[in-house]
């Protein structure tokens, strides 16, 4: 027993030294858990930010000036004042995302209760800003016009009032969501790449044959790769949480980091086993890369991390219950965002353990068959 554990330990150390001597792979791991997290959290915000807008003010009234003044940073760039004949040209040239046309006598008709129409032209090729900005501008115009009219008329009361409470992210900061979800996706991606590359590297260098002449079983070889590559990922996850997410981005973590690391360990057992199975199917790194695309994209897109699972077809929801990422994403969000304990996420932990056991067994069987063919 002790000899078996010693063999697994020493083989794992060999894998760590092999990774240390691979600068390209080492750089990929470091960037994925540092720069990639920061870019995902800050480079592409879902909220409106510095959108370009121009205004055709044909009214030149106090109300139109009030509407223009309400379009201020950081949601919008300072509005540009353009004449009517330039409206189509600036949109064709892509200079502005929004062009607001305020018609003549807008203030007069508004105070008379005629409900005049404004025209908002949107460059829909900038899809994310166009969708979000349309709602922003509509809300701003409605609110400012109502406040302006109240200065001339008796105040009207709505029959009901909506009180909005944003839980777990009161300011709706995209960086809180983007960084954590990028970390979750990176754990899956890097664990598969590291473990699969470690096995294919040995096959390409011919070191698998050296292992076969030693008193080592397939389970020992496989376990050494699982624990060593899993340890690298867990170490990088801990550093990313401390230095990038909680440090540079100041994202508050509500739950227990130790409980989250337990989720990571179970998930890594499943993904590293999956990687070994994939590495026995692929013969070279290019083949492994193509296979990785086919496997990784569904795991990330359909696990509930990018879009809610409830919005997916029921068939997809049922099938993805067999994927470890589905349960890992749900458990991670519960722990990191909502501060859930083990009494809440135990179904996900149990599912991860079962899936990891099945994947490890299947991968070990395939790995044993592959080694026997090489022998």
């Amino acid at each position: 027993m002790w000899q078996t554990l010693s063999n697994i330990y020493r083989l794992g150390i060999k894998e760590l030294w092999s990774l240390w001597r691979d600068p390209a792979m080492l750089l990929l791991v470091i960037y994925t858990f540092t720069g990639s997290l920061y870019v995902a959290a800050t480079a592409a915000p879902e909220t409106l930010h510095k959108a370009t807008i121009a205004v055709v003010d044909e009214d030149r009234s106090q109300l139109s000036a009030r509407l223009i003044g309400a379009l201020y940073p950081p949601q919008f760039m300072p509005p540009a004042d353009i004449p009517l004949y330039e409206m189509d040209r600036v949109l064709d040239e892509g200079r502005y995302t929004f062009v607001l046309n305020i018609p003549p006598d807008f203030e007069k008709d508004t105070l008379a209760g005629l409900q005049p129409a404004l025209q908002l032209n949107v460059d829909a090729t900038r899809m994310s800003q166009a969708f979000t900005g349309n709602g922003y501008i509509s809300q701003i115009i409605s609110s400012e016009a109502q406040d302006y009219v109240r200065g001339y008329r008796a105040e009207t009361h709505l029959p009901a009032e909506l009180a909005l409470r944003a839980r777990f992210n009161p300011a709706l900061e995209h960086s809180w969501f983007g960084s954590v979800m990028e970390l979750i996706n990176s754990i899956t991606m890097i664990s598969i790449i590291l473990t699969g590359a470690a096995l294919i590297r040995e096959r390409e260098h011919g070191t698998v044959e050296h292992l076969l002449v030693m008193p080592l079983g397939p389970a020992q070889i496989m376990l050494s790769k699982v624990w060593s590559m899993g340890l690298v990922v867990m170490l990088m996850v801990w550093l990313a949480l401390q230095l990038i997410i909680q440090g540079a981005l100041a994202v508050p973590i509500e739950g227990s980091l130790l409980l989250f690391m337990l989720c990571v360990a179970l998930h890594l057992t499943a993904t590293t086993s999956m990687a070994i199975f994939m590495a026995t199917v692929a013969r070279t790194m290019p083949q492994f890369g193509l296979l990785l695309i086919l496997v990784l994209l569904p795991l990330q897109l359909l696990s509930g991390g990018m879009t809610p699972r409830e919005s997916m077809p029921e068939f997809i929801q049922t099938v993805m219950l067999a994927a470890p990422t589905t349960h890992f994403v749900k458990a991670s969000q519960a722990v990191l965002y909502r501060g859930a304990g083990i009494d809440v996420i135990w179904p996900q932990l149990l599912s991860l353990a079962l899936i990891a056991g099945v994947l490890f067994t299947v991968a070990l069987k395939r790995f044993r068959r592959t080694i026997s063919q090489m022998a």
Side-chain angles (χ1 to χ4, degrees), residues 34 43 68 109 113-114 116 128 146 156 181 212 223 260 288-289 328 348 359:
T34 54
I68 296 172
D109 294 342
L114 300 179
S128 59
Q146 287 179 6
T156 58
M181 291 314 305
L212 294 178
L223 283 171
F260 173 67
F288 182 77
F328 179 57
Q348 286 75 45
L359 289 177

Side-chain angles (χ1 to χ4, degrees), residues 145-166:
Q146 287 179 6
D147 291 343
Y148 186 78
V149 170
R150 288 193 187 103
Y152 292 87
R153 296 180 182 175
E155 184 175 356
T156 58
H157 296 277
L158 296 176
E161 183 178 354
L162 176 66
L164 177 63
R165 295 177 58 200

Side-chain angles (χ1 to χ4, degrees), residues 39-72:
V39 169
T42 59
E46 291 182 350
T47 56
L48 196 66
H49 186 67
K50 292 185 178 180
T52 54
I53 184 171
V55 178
V56 178
D57 188 0
E58 298 182 274
D59 191 33
R60 301 293 175 179
S61 63
Q62 185 177 354
L63 176 56
S64 65
R66 179 168 179 163
L67 296 180
I68 296 172
L71 303 171
Y72 49 80

Side-chain angles (χ1 to χ4, degrees), residues 270-311:
T271 54
T272 51
S273 301
M274 186 188 307
I276 291 176
F277 181 87
M278 293 165 58
T280 59
V281 176
R283 296 297 177 183
T284 62
M285 278 302 297
Q287 291 181 5
F288 182 77
L290 293 175
L291 186 59
L292 176 65
I293 295 175
L294 296 177
V295 174
L296 189 61
L297 286 180
L299 289 178
Q300 293 185 346
L301 294 176
L302 304 178
S303 62
M306 296 184 178
T307 56
R309 295 187 67 246
E310 293 76 13
S311 63

Side-chain angles (χ1 to χ4, degrees), residues 36-161:
S36 179
L37 295 182
Y38 191 85
V39 169
T42 59
E46 291 182 350
T47 56
L48 196 66
H49 186 67
K50 292 185 178 180
T52 54
I53 184 171
V55 178
V56 178
D57 188 0
E58 298 182 274
D59 191 33
R60 301 293 175 179
S61 63
Q62 185 177 354
L63 176 56
S64 65
R66 179 168 179 163
L67 296 180
I68 296 172
L71 303 171
Y72 49 80
Q75 285 80 18
F76 299 95
M77 296 292 288
D81 186 9
I82 63 172
L84 179 62
Y85 63 86
E86 287 190 2
M87 184 170 63
D88 290 336
R89 182 169 62 85
V90 296
L91 284 172
D92 292 340
E93 294 175 356
R95 291 165 55 186
Y96 300 100
T97 305
F98 306 98
V99 176
L100 178 65
N101 184 10
I102 304 176
D105 300 326
F106 174 69
E107 181 185 64
K108 177 182 176 181
D109 294 342
T110 300
L111 294 176
L114 300 179
Q115 296 184 338
L118 289 82
Q119 184 183 78
L120 178 64
N121 298 272
V122 183
D123 182 359
T125 59
R126 305 177 183 183
M127 188 175 62
S128 59
Q129 282 195 338
F131 179 78
T132 308
N134 178 32
Y136 265 80
I137 296 174
S138 298
Q139 184 177 6
I140 288 173
I141 291 175
S142 176
S143 176
E144 293 295 330
Q146 287 179 6
D147 291 343
Y148 186 78
V149 170
R150 288 193 187 103
Y152 292 87
R153 296 180 182 175
E155 184 175 356
T156 58
H157 296 277
L158 296 176
E161 183 178 354

